[in-house]
Amino acid sequence: MTFLGTIRITGAPALAELTAALEAAAESGWEAPGGVIRIRDHRVLGHPAGATVELVLAGQHLELDQAAVALAALGRHLLSQSPGLLACTISALEITTHAGIGRPRRSVPSLLDEELLALSAQYLLAAAAHSLRRRAATPAVTADDVVAAATDHPWARELTAALGPLLISAARLEATTQARANLTAGGGDTALAEELLRRARATAVTHAAEDSAAQGRRLVEDFVRDHDLRWNPDVPPSGPDELLWPGIRALATLTSSLSGAASPWTLLTRLTDDELVSELAEREAERVEMSLDGEGEEVAGAALAHAAVWLAIQRPDLLDTSEGERLVSGLAEDVAPFHHLAYSALLMAGAAPVTAAIEATDAQTTFKEVTQALGQEQPDGDAYNALHHALETVLQLGEDLPARLRQLLTIITLSADLTATELNPRRGQGGYVSSPAELAAALLRHPSEYAALILFDGLSSDARLRLHALATIAALDPSAAGSMAAALPDLTGDAPHTEPTARARRWVETALLTWDGPLPDLDDAPDAGVILNAVSAGTAVPTDWPLRRVVAASAQAAALLAHAAGRTDLLREIFTAT
């Protein structure tokens, strides 16, 4: 019979001597219990922490147990043939029946051209880093996927080879954009990730003229040596996470300014000079654009709903302006997103505040079914279904639909205010809304879910929807845009060189393109004036400002510029620019 055997070796074997010993055994045959065993084919694969020997064994009347004994004996023999092999050890043996005679079966990746393998490794690392920076998306490739799959040949070798050059290119990009972010969250050893990030930044600056490929290889080699990392995919617990997790987290941090990139290929265009990468990125961008074109109306409808509800909770006065009235009338064109969002807002506010709010209006008859639904027992979720049905009744098409929409927004306004009073039995309890600000913030955490919006799976629909809603509010009032921007999720801390800061800076930079002449006077918005002056001068934003203050002032500054230039029609482009 014929068997496929694998010998996994740990250490630093001299590959030439190992190959020579194997070839000698293949030429003469291998003596084993039951007769001579022939090595029909063989291959030696090296990796940073050892080597893997693959071979086809054949012999007359050879059985599985005999083949296993012969494989173990052959492994010991190979390591005894040279001083360069004596320090190595056998970490694993595998033996399986090989149905055919000839070359051993190879994995599909090992059949690929070396250049294609290297490009694939770059893509996988870029995709892994991209997934960490865009957690609201549902990426096809995640960092967990890449780290777990790295134990398979040949990805251990290819990923480690691609990591260093990408880190150097990314560090140089970060130095150029001045968008320095804190370490991105992820798996692996955080201390190692911080050290690798520090080294990449320092190396890129001190050796800026050196080739990134050579510099990157030396970065990884020195890092592995200095931290005594036994990066061996065959011997737990020394798995790929020891190097790859810190590397991916560092790469995600260094490319924070590119978190809005549509795909990993787009990210790679900024880190490599490969024409094929540029072509693939362009094709991916076209595919994404086609998808977005079909989703434009859905995003616009959901954004309008979120803008209306946020205004009802935080700035109801703006709904009574002529622009606010047009916004409410726009809701009537596609009421579905608003229906779902209003449903979520009422549930979060709670039955008692909503019931009291309805009773405080002159629309009790119109909202009678809503009051009844909220008063039902809820053990089986029947009240939730009843509330959906009640809202369907309230929001039926008709000439007076805009009036009913405005009444519902008023009820949301009153309900939000009442969450902060003793009418709210859950006030102060964890996980429940206890103020208008808390209600508005809760609806922004998962805006797509609450508006029943499902978009192209490669993009962050939550992030996109928030920015579209922000642009809608900015068209009504710049100060309201600042307030909403301050309530966006993930804006904690005082670090001025973060991705949200870089994104907010782009808002102002894009808005400045609409302006020609001396900067407008922003005495009534001093924070916005500080940001506007800093961005126009190309200097950093105040380093002692909390992140929320920076983002709020940037949103207000961008909106004020667009209003002053008479180009509020460009606000969506300003706030969604990546």
Side-chain angles (χ1 to χ4, degrees):
M1 292 185 65
T2 305
F3 296 89
L4 177 62
T6 303
I7 304 172
R8 301 191 187 278
I9 299 171
T10 300
L15 296 181
E17 296 172 357
L18 178 61
T19 302
L22 181 59
E23 288 176 349
E27 183 176 349
S28 60
W30 179 249
E31 292 287 345
V36 177
I37 296 177
R38 295 293 178 184
I39 300 175
R40 291 292 181 85
D41 204 348
H42 59 83
R43 183 172 58 159
V44 177
L45 305 168
H47 56 75
T52 299
V53 178
E54 295 180 347
L55 59 163
V56 175
L57 303 177
Q60 191 174 11
H61 309 302
L62 182 64
E63 300 296 335
L64 181 62
D65 57 341
Q66 295 172 326
V69 172
L71 185 67
L74 176 60
R76 290 192 296 270
H77 170 75
L78 293 176
L79 297 187
S80 68
Q81 296 304 296
S82 167
L85 300 172
L86 291 175
C88 300
T89 59
I90 295 175
S91 59
L93 295 168
E94 299 173 10
I95 190 78
T96 57
T97 301
H98 188 55
I101 296 176
R103 295 190 61 83
R105 180 179 60 84
R106 298 167 60 188
S107 64
V108 171
S110 68
L111 302 175
L112 298 177
D113 175 86
E114 288 186 5
E115 291 186 5
L116 186 55
L117 268 177
L119 179 60
S120 299
Q122 290 180 338
Y123 172 83
L124 290 173
L125 290 172
H130 198 50
S131 73
L132 292 182
R133 298 300 306 181
R134 304 190 67 173
R135 291 187 174 277
T138 54
V141 178
T142 68
D144 293 298
D145 294 332
V146 173
V147 172
T151 57
D152 297 335
H153 173 79
W155 299 118
R157 179 190 68 232
E158 297 297 334
L159 290 169
T160 51
L163 179 60
L166 287 181
L167 285 174
I168 295 299
S169 296
R172 291 174 177 172
L173 173 70
E174 183 193 62
T176 302
T177 60
Q178 298 183 337
R180 178 171 289 206
N182 294 328
L183 179 66
T184 301
D189 189 314
T190 296
L192 286 178
E194 290 176 340
E195 173 63 11
L196 183 56
L197 176 62
R198 185 193 67 77
R199 289 192 182 202
R201 284 169 168 164
T203 305
V205 172
T206 56
H207 302 278
E210 189 174 339
D211 175 66
S212 61
Q215 197 178 35
R217 284 193 296 270
R218 189 168 61 251
L219 169 70
V220 171
E221 289 171 359
D222 292 348
F223 182 76
V224 170
R225 183 196 63 236
D226 294 347
H227 291 279
D228 194 26
L229 298 182
R230 288 190 312 112
W231 194 79
N232 185 347
D234 301 322
V235 186
S238 296
D241 58 309
E242 284 195 342
L243 177 60
L244 280 189
W245 259 124
I248 291 170
R249 291 176 65 181
L251 184 61
T253 306
L254 294 169
T255 56
S256 63
S257 63
L258 303 178
S259 63
S263 74
W265 291 121
T266 307
L267 189 152
L268 278 179
T269 59
R270 301 294 300 276
L271 304 181
T272 70
D273 297 325
D274 194 318
E275 293 182 1
L276 178 58
V277 170
S278 299
E279 175 67 22
L280 291 170
E282 186 175 340
R283 292 186 182 185
E284 180 69 5
E286 291 175 356
R287 187 171 70 89
V288 171
E289 185 176 353
M290 289 178 61
S291 176
L292 296 185
D293 286 343
E295 297 165 350
E297 292 184 4
E298 296 178 41
V299 174
L304 197 66
H306 269 283
V309 172
W310 188 91
L311 290 169
I313 297 170
Q314 296 287 69
R315 290 293 305 274
D317 58 300
L318 293 177
L319 290 175
D320 293 326
T321 64
S322 57
E323 293 84 356
E325 291 175 357
R326 283 196 292 272
L327 186 151
V328 174
S329 297
L331 292 175
E333 296 180 10
D334 180 12
V335 78
F338 179 74
H339 170 142
H340 289 283
L341 188 59
Y343 169 87
S344 298
L346 296 179
L347 283 183
M348 289 182 186
V354 174
T355 299
I358 292 173
E359 292 175 350
T361 69
D362 58 359
Q364 297 179 34
T365 301
T366 303
F367 290 88
K368 179 180 178 180
E369 288 189 33
V370 173
T371 304
Q372 292 173 344
L374 291 169
Q376 290 184 15
E377 296 294 329
Q378 304 179 11
D380 300 318
D382 291 339
Y384 297 162
N385 294 330
L387 181 56
H388 266 307
H389 179 74
L391 288 175
E392 287 177 359
T393 301
V394 169
L395 300 178
Q396 291 182 80
L397 294 177
E399 291 184 2
D400 63 338
L401 178 56
R404 284 178 273 129
L405 287 166
R406 186 64 184 90
Q407 288 175 330
L408 182 50
L409 287 167
T410 297
I411 290 169
I412 291 174
T413 299
L414 297 174
S415 300
D417 291 339
L418 291 173
T419 59
T421 71
E422 59 186 14
L423 273 175
N424 181 9
R426 294 170 173 169
R427 183 178 56 164
Q429 295 182 24
Y432 293 98
V433 167
S434 299
S435 70
E438 289 183 8
L439 178 57
L443 292 171
L444 286 177
R445 287 193 193 101
H446 305 288
S448 298
E449 176 185 340
Y450 298 137
L453 178 67
I454 301 175
L455 297 181
F456 174 59
D457 62 2
L459 298 173
S460 170
S461 56
D462 281 347
R464 286 179 56 206
L465 185 49
R466 292 187 196 106
L467 296 178
H468 278 265
L470 178 59
T472 302
I473 289 174
L476 269 69
D477 186 84
S479 65
S483 298
M484 182 183 184
L488 294 174
D490 303 323
L491 294 182
T492 57
D494 300 319
H497 302 295
T498 62
E499 191 279 327
T501 301
R503 180 182 62 212
R505 188 184 186 96
R506 288 195 295 275
W507 297 341
V508 182
E509 290 171 343
T510 307
L512 279 168
L513 298 177
T514 70
W515 190 260
D516 185 19
L519 294 178
D521 186 357
L522 300 183
D523 288 342
D524 294 336
D527 278 9
V530 170
I531 295 293
L532 178 58
N533 289 328
V535 173
S536 62
T539 59
V541 301
T543 58
D544 57 343
W545 282 17
L547 186 53
R548 291 193 185 279
R549 185 178 179 186
V550 172
V551 173
S554 299
Q556 186 175 8
L560 284 168
L561 269 178
H563 277 266
R567 296 307 308 270
T568 56
D569 58 308
L570 295 178
L571 280 167
R572 180 167 298 176
E573 179 180 339
I574 288 170
F575 283 104
T576 59
T578 59

